[in-house]
């Protein structure tokens, strides 16, 4: 299983890529189609904001405006797609956020490029920023791919609750009233708080989701959920979301049809109005209205008191539990660091001892080598002197044999010269005698004729 997981992680860079959109390009470039009428939200600007166009398998998936100061996304824009996959597992980062000149133009696992990018994590969150904490990276919208540029720190329970609430909101309150789901534009975002994870990544105070459908008529709706309350989910108009939580920023072009309300909200409001209207024949009169007025006052007072008590209890619990959590985190971090140092002491001592022993061994080796070098010449000289008699005595027989061989060669050469002289003289005498004889015999025959 571990080998398969490693293979999957190794294949991620080939599947998921992103592109930082420079200031010169209009909006989010090829990812402008995720916004209503191709127009990104207005009112979000700053030197720490970076625009990212995210892709998967070559297809555009969503657009993200990332805050490099808070190390969290400001918002991500999507269009609804039925059965959209959640992308590969494992959290990826965007190399060009930390190094704009990097040739790595695709989302990559941080472990694979830790030695290739200088200052990695200076402008974005990394997986190790979530270690030793109760927070996990949670995607703004659960169908998005697993990139840390689209994730914010959430507790495990809140993460599950937000995924459930957002999914139910889309399927029950949006899709039934939008004829074509592909025309449903979604923008999910987070409002950062003053709390920072490991003094680096901002923990969100609120997460929100806004929708705009332009079929058959443009209308919009939104939800907001505070991270401090699991059960709270505020159904809100986009205009209220913009003014109350986003500082007046505009999410959709032309307010998505002029800010028309969600059909279900309108139907619910109409039903509520009809319920509040007094039916024919109902009891009327000043007394009954006075009783209803008193009941409403008592009810509102009790509700306000209960809300106040609950708010105070919740704040006290959050304060106490928050301080206890930070104390616990500080204590565990200190103990972990202390244990790490204490466990490292024996290793460092053994390493020093090993280095000292190795140093002594090298010194002894150098001394031995020097002694051998000094003694090498006298030993060789003495060896040559000791072996001189042996080589001298052994050479006497060979020299004697060589002398005898030379004498024998001289003697043989002299004998050969003597015998050669005699043989030559005899040959000359024989030739001369035979010539004289032939001449004498020849002349005798002539006289007889």
């Amino acid at each position: 299983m571990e080998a398969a997981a490693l293979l999957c992680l190794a294949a991620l860079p080939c599947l998921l890529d992103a592109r930082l959109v420079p200031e010169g390009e209009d909006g989010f470039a090829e990812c402008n189609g995720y916004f209503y009428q191709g127009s990104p939200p207005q009112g979000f600007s700053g030197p720490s904001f970076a625009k990212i166009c995210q892709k998967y398998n070559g297809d555009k998936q969503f657009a993200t405006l990332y805050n490099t100061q808070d190390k969290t996304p400001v918002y991500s824009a999507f269009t609804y797609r039925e059965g959209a996959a959640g992308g590969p597992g494992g959290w990826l980062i965007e190399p060009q956020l930390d190094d704009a000149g990097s040739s790595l133009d695709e989302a990559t696992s941080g472990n694979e490029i830790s030695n290739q990018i200088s200052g990695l994590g200076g402008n974005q969150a990394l997986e190790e920023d979530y270690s030793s904490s109760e927070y996990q990276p949670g995607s703004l919208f659960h169908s998005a791919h697993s990139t840390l540029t689209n994730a914010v720190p959430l507790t495990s329970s809140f993460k599950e609750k937000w995924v459930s609430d957002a999914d139910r909101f889309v399927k029950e309150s949006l899709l039934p009233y939008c004829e074509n789901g592909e025309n449903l534009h979604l923008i999910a975002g987070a409002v950062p708080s003053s709390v920072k994870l490991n003094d680096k990544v901002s923990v969100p105070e609120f997460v929100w989701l806004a929708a705009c459908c332009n079929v058959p008529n443009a209308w919009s709706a939104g939800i907001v959920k505070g991270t401090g309350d699991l059960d709270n989910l505020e159904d809100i108009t986009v205009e209220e979301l913009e003014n109350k939580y986003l500082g007046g920023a505009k999410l959709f072009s032309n307010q998505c049809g002029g800010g028309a309300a969600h059909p279900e909200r309108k139907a619910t409001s109409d039903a509520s109005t009809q319920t509040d209207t007094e039916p024919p024949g109902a009891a009327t009169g000043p007394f009954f209205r006075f009783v209803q007025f008193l009941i409403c006052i008592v009810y509102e007072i009790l509700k306000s008191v209960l809300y106040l008590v609950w708010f105070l209890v919740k704040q006290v619990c959050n304060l106490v539990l928050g301080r206890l959590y930070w104390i616990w985190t500080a204590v565990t971090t200190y103990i972990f660091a202390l244990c790490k140092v204490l466990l490292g002491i024996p290793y460092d001592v053994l390493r020093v001892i090993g280095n000292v022993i190795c140093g002594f061994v090298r010194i002894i080796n150098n001394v031995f080598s020097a002694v051998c070098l000094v003694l090498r010449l006298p030993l060789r000289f003495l060896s040559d002197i000791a072996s001189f008699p042996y080589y001298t005595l052994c050479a006497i027989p060979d020299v004697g044999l060589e002398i005898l061989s030379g004498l024998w060669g001289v003697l043989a050469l002299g004998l050969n010269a003597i015998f050669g002289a005699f043989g030559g003289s005899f040959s000359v005498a024989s030739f001369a005698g035979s010539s004289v004889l032939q001449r004498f015999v020849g002349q005798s025959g002539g006289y007889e004729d």
Side-chain angles (χ1 to χ4, degrees), residues 383-399:
S383 176
D384 292 339
I385 293 175
S387 61
F388 176 75
Y390 169 75
Y391 288 114
T392 304
L393 293 176
C394 291
I396 291 174
D398 294 333
V399 172

Side-chain angles (χ1 to χ4, degrees), residues 13-81:
C14 301
L15 301 177
L16 189 61
D17 60 283
R19 184 171 79 87
L20 290 184
V21 182
E23 292 295 332
E25 296 192 40
D26 183 25
F28 285 77
E30 62 265 34
C31 284
N32 282 337
Y34 291 111
F35 302 99
Y36 175 63
Q37 294 183 348
S39 177
Q42 302 297 318
F44 298 98
S45 62
S48 61
F49 289 172
K51 296 178 289 186
I52 306 174
C53 180
Q54 196 76 53
K55 302 176 183 178
Y56 177 70
N57 273 345
D59 296 330
K60 299 181 295 293
Q61 297 298 319
F62 59 92
T64 297
L65 182 66
Y66 192 80
N67 190 337
T68 58
Q69 181 177 354
D70 293 329
K71 311 297 188 298
T72 56
V74 179
Y75 64 77
S76 290
F78 316 84
T79 53
Y80 181 81
R81 289 191 294 180

Side-chain angles (χ1 to χ4, degrees), residues 125-180:
L126 304 177
E127 281 193 79
E128 49 263 34
D129 295 328
Y130 290 84
S131 60
S132 302
S133 72
E134 63 173 339
Y135 294 98
Q136 302 175 357
S139 297
L140 292 177
F141 192 63
H142 66 279
S143 67
H145 299 294
S146 303
T147 60
L148 288 176
T149 53
N150 184 49
V152 293
L154 301 175
T155 61
S156 177
S157 56
F158 184 88
K159 179 180 176 181
E160 295 178 1
K161 187 65 175 175
W162 171 243
V163 169
S164 175
D165 290 342
D167 186 66
R168 185 172 63 252
F169 174 68
V170 171
K171 292 183 178 180
E172 297 180 4
S173 301
L174 300 180
L175 290 179
Y177 304 95
C178 195
E179 292 183 1
N180 187 350

